Amino acid sequence: MEFLSNLISGLSLGAIYALIALGYTMVYGIAKMLNFAHGDVIMIGAFTVLATVATAGFPWYIGIIASVIVCTVLGVTIEKIAYKPLRKANPLSVLITAIGVSYFLQSVALLIFGSGKQSFPTVIKANPIKLGSLIIQGNSVVTLIITTIIMVVLTLFINKTRLGKAMRAVSEDKDAAELMGISVNRTISLTFAIGSALAAVAGIFYGSTYGFVDPYAGAMPGIKAFVAAVFGGIGSIPGAMLGGILLGIIENLSKAYISTDLADAIVFGVLIVVLIVKPTGLLGKKIREKV
Amino acid sequence: MKFLQKMSKDMKDRLITFGILFGAFLIVEILILTGGASRHLQAMLIPICINMLLAVSLNLTVGFLGELTLGHAGFMSVGAYAGCLFSIYCKDLLPVFIRYPLAMLIGGAVAAVFGILIGIPVLRLKGDYLAIVTLAFGEIIRSVIINLDFLGGAAGLKGTPQDATFISSFAVVVISVLLILNFLNSKSGRAIKSIRDNRIASESCGVQITYYKMLAFVFSAFFAGIAGVIYGHNLNILTADTFDYNKSIEILLIVVLGGMGSIRGSVIAAVIITALPEALRGLDKYRMVIYAVLLIAIMIFNSSEFGKRIREKYDPKKLFAKKNAVKKENADE
């Protein structure tokens, strides 16, 4: 029973990682860049909820809507200002710019909210569910349900709609997509918007799970989600979901049964083993080399 | 002038690099002797040397081998702990001038061994996958160190003798830069650069890819370990938390800013990146914001058309060439 409850809380943590990893993987698939600032968008999302709900006293749903809007606008703005001028530049320059954006968001949050940990308002109110001796946190249930819905909708959006088709086309071949009349710029903006909106949702769940936010709160989940995206095969959307969920479960189980301090090391260790066996991740595509 | 013209391009390049290094060293020494150097500046000197070493060594893998690694701080921490442990145990046995260089060699060697161990699995991967696995190794090293009691655990390792001085650190930088430049100009160095430029072509010319990749990786880890030893001997407490992926990213930032594949660039950028947050200290709490904005602006400027035009216009080589051409014309008349 204890195992099952650990598994479920791992699943819910994994669902949060998966949400963040989706943002990483979508942006990578389309813009071929590692958006290191993605983790900090989560932090901004969580702080927006804190500011609207705890400080300004709005009801929780306003907080959530505000957070999604702020993050979406932020994501698109970052792309327009910082990444768009570098679209043809060396990938490492883009990486460093993303790191610059990450520093920027952290230091702005530090200026506005201070460096201390602030307690996150209870946005998700759900009673724990009891099934015999098994107790499941209400938080985990809500996280799991909402993430599942989001993932289903996202998968449908990408596979069934015209915009989704455009996104797939741009990620496959930018030039060919442009020749087919797809606006590459608009598609990239859309990707950033979706990724950042997902980050906002993830930020709310993350804040609710851990109960606090600080300006550096986004860094570690960001890195973990990045690992999850690579784990599943970066650029692959089902891969990010799978990678995120597996990562959450591994992390939670090793925290429960092996060692709290070494949980991160174990997560990274599993990643290394997976990549050595399957060098492009679990669901990544093999790239054939042409001579 | 004739002497200068006779020199190979490579030799000239080296002279400029070492000229810059020694010039900066002289200015700093004069400032210290005349009392013109503030305490902030003096406290920054050793960190600058450490960052130079780190950047130059990371440039070996990122700039010359062409593989992005995000775990350089891991090698630094391994070297730091190995060297500091040695120094703590031999504090009373050996005099400083034997103990400290030995500590550096030990730190570097242990880091190099880790480089081999990590390199075997890592170098099979490519691109972003390689980057994430090196990041993972860095984080694993950090969490394992925190959980090892004989390394001080989370509280940190105390009692390392404060052996690091600016002059000795500077000497290490000069020797390392010299060694790395020689390495890059050797047969091995050329092989490494050929792998970066075209792996398939160099493989079909008989270059042993795995061997040379490993060589660059281990060499780079060795110097990172030495940088770690200096770092450890400059501080009272050595904590593993300072060697997280942010540190690796900071080193990468120096390398990219200085220009990948340019040793001189790494040296100059190390000074700028280390000194910039200090220089912005006057802005108080806005300093990190401004630092971030500057960073983004520099990256955008560097790859924009406008930036390229400006750089071409003020390229020192071209300016120099023009002057020479004018002189020649005058002489012909």
Side-chain angles (χ1 to χ4, degrees), chain B residues 93-132:
Chain B
L93 294 173
L94 299 168
V96 184
F97 59 90
I98 299 176
R99 183 183 66 209
Y100 188 40
L102 256 181
M104 280 188 202
L105 285 180
I106 287 173
V110 172
V113 170
F114 269 79
I116 296 174
L117 292 178
I118 294 174
I120 292 170
V122 161
L123 292 175
R124 295 175 33 147
L125 303 168
K126 272 187 221 125
D128 300 312
Y129 293 98
L130 192 147
I132 189 73

Side-chain angles (χ1 to χ4, degrees), chain B residues 82-323:
Chain B
C84 289
L85 271 188
F86 173 78
S87 281
I88 290 171
Y89 285 122
C90 300
K91 209 192 262 180
D92 307 317
L93 294 173
L94 299 168
V96 184
F97 59 90
I98 299 176
R99 183 183 66 209
Y100 188 40
L102 256 181
M104 280 188 202
L105 285 180
I106 287 173
V110 172
V113 170
F114 269 79
I116 296 174
L117 292 178
I118 294 174
I120 292 170
V122 161
L123 292 175
R124 295 175 33 147
L125 303 168
K126 272 187 221 125
D128 300 312
Y129 293 98
L130 192 147
I132 189 73
V133 169
T134 48
L135 187 149
F137 268 114
E139 291 292 303
I140 290 177
I141 290 174
R142 186 172 66 99
S143 11
V144 170
I145 287 177
I146 290 180
N147 285 293
L148 288 178
D149 288 331
F150 73 100
L151 293 178
L157 187 68
K158 292 183 197 96
T160 312
Q162 311 267 294
D163 291 340
T165 58
F166 171 53
I167 295 180
S168 66
S169 314
F170 179 77
V172 173
V173 169
V174 171
I175 295 169
S176 307
V177 169
L178 196 65
L179 282 175
I180 288 175
L181 282 175
N182 273 342
F183 175 69
L184 287 172
N185 271 313
S186 67
K187 186 187 160 210
S188 315
R190 281 193 297 275
I192 287 165
K193 281 183 252 176
S194 79
I195 295 173
R196 172 194 63 187
D197 292 340
N198 193 331
R199 192 179 64 84
I200 296 167
S202 57
E203 196 168 17
S204 49
C205 290
V207 175
Q208 284 190 319
I209 304 284
T210 321
Y211 172 76
Y212 284 111
K213 268 186 164 179
M214 190 62 120
L215 196 65
F217 200 65
V218 171
F219 221 62
S220 154
F222 177 76
F223 287 106
I226 291 181
V229 176
I230 301 177
Y231 182 82
H233 286 73
N234 186 34
L235 291 176
N236 290 320
I237 305 175
L238 189 65
T239 49
D241 269 336
T242 40
F243 303 109
D244 62 350
Y245 69 93
N246 276 319
K247 182 71 194 168
S248 305
I249 283 175
E250 191 193 319
I251 308 166
L252 181 68
L253 205 152
I254 298 174
V255 173
V256 175
L257 197 68
M260 279 178 291
S262 160
I263 297 290
R264 195 191 309 153
S266 290
V267 167
I268 297 170
V271 179
I272 295 173
I273 289 292
T274 325
L276 195 60
E278 268 325 292
L280 294 173
R281 192 168 277 276
L283 299 161
D284 197 32
K285 52 183 184 175
Y286 297 102
R287 108 190 139 117
M288 281 316 285
V289 180
I290 302 214
Y291 176 76
V293 171
L294 274 178
L295 192 64
I296 300 170
I298 291 171
M299 292 326 293
I300 293 178
F301 172 79
N302 259 350
S303 29
S304 68
E305 283 299 312
F306 176 68
K308 265 179 207 148
R309 250 184 288 140
I310 295 276
R311 265 185 304 171
E312 259 166 37
K313 205 170 171 187
Y314 295 102
D315 188 2
K317 266 181 213 153
K318 262 193 189 164
L319 286 179
F320 203 61
K322 234 184 229 166
K323 254 186 208 163

Side-chain angles (χ1 to χ4, degrees), chain B residues 12-14 16-17 20 59 258 262-269:
Chain B
K12 255 187 222 166
D13 242 30
R14 274 186 204 202
I16 295 172
T17 307
I20 290 173
N59 210 340
S262 160
I263 297 290
R264 195 191 309 153
S266 290
V267 167
I268 297 170

Side-chain angles (χ1 to χ4, degrees), chain B residues 55-99:
Chain B
V56 169
S57 61
L58 184 64
N59 210 340
L60 266 179
T61 35
V62 177
F64 291 97
L65 182 62
E67 297 287 8
L68 172 62
T69 69
L70 293 173
H72 213 53
F75 295 128
M76 184 189 173
S77 69
V78 170
Y81 274 96
C84 289
L85 271 188
F86 173 78
S87 281
I88 290 171
Y89 285 122
C90 300
K91 209 192 262 180
D92 307 317
L93 294 173
L94 299 168
V96 184
F97 59 90
I98 299 176
R99 183 183 66 209

Side-chain angles (χ1 to χ4, degrees), chain A residues 165-202:
Chain A
K165 211 181 206 174
M167 281 169 69
R168 278 182 293 147
V170 172
S171 82
E172 220 161 85
D173 191 329
K174 225 182 267 178
D175 299 326
E178 195 145 34
L179 288 176
M180 295 298 131
I182 296 168
S183 163
V184 172
N185 278 333
R186 209 184 298 158
T187 313
I188 292 180
S189 293
L190 179 74
T191 311
F192 269 86
I194 295 176
S196 307
L198 293 179
V201 178

Side-chain angles (χ1 to χ4, degrees), chain A residues 75-193:
Chain A
V76 175
T77 322
I78 290 173
E79 198 274 323
K80 284 265 179 287
I81 294 175
Y83 302 152
K84 203 177 159 198
L86 293 168
R87 208 160 282 163
K88 289 198 178 73
N90 162 349
L92 264 182
S93 310
V94 188
L95 181 75
I96 298 292
T97 313
I99 291 162
V101 173
S102 158
Y103 286 170
F104 177 76
L105 293 179
Q106 284 177 9
S107 45
V108 168
L110 194 70
L111 270 182
I112 302 174
F113 299 102
S115 63
K117 284 183 179 175
Q118 300 193 26
S119 60
F120 194 77
T122 37
V123 180
I124 303 167
K125 289 176 200 112
N127 295 323
I129 298 171
K130 276 183 201 162
L131 290 172
S133 60
L134 177 70
I135 300 168
I136 307 168
Q137 291 297 320
N139 221 338
S140 308
V141 178
V142 176
T143 308
L144 274 176
I145 292 173
I146 295 187
T147 342
T148 315
I149 295 172
I150 288 177
M151 284 179 186
V152 170
V153 171
L154 187 71
T155 312
L156 287 178
F157 173 78
I158 286 176
N159 290 323
K160 303 282 178 201
T161 61
R162 278 178 74 90
L163 284 173
K165 211 181 206 174
M167 281 169 69
R168 278 182 293 147
V170 172
S171 82
E172 220 161 85
D173 191 329
K174 225 182 267 178
D175 299 326
E178 195 145 34
L179 288 176
M180 295 298 131
I182 296 168
S183 163
V184 172
N185 278 333
R186 209 184 298 158
T187 313
I188 292 180
S189 293
L190 179 74
T191 311
F192 269 86

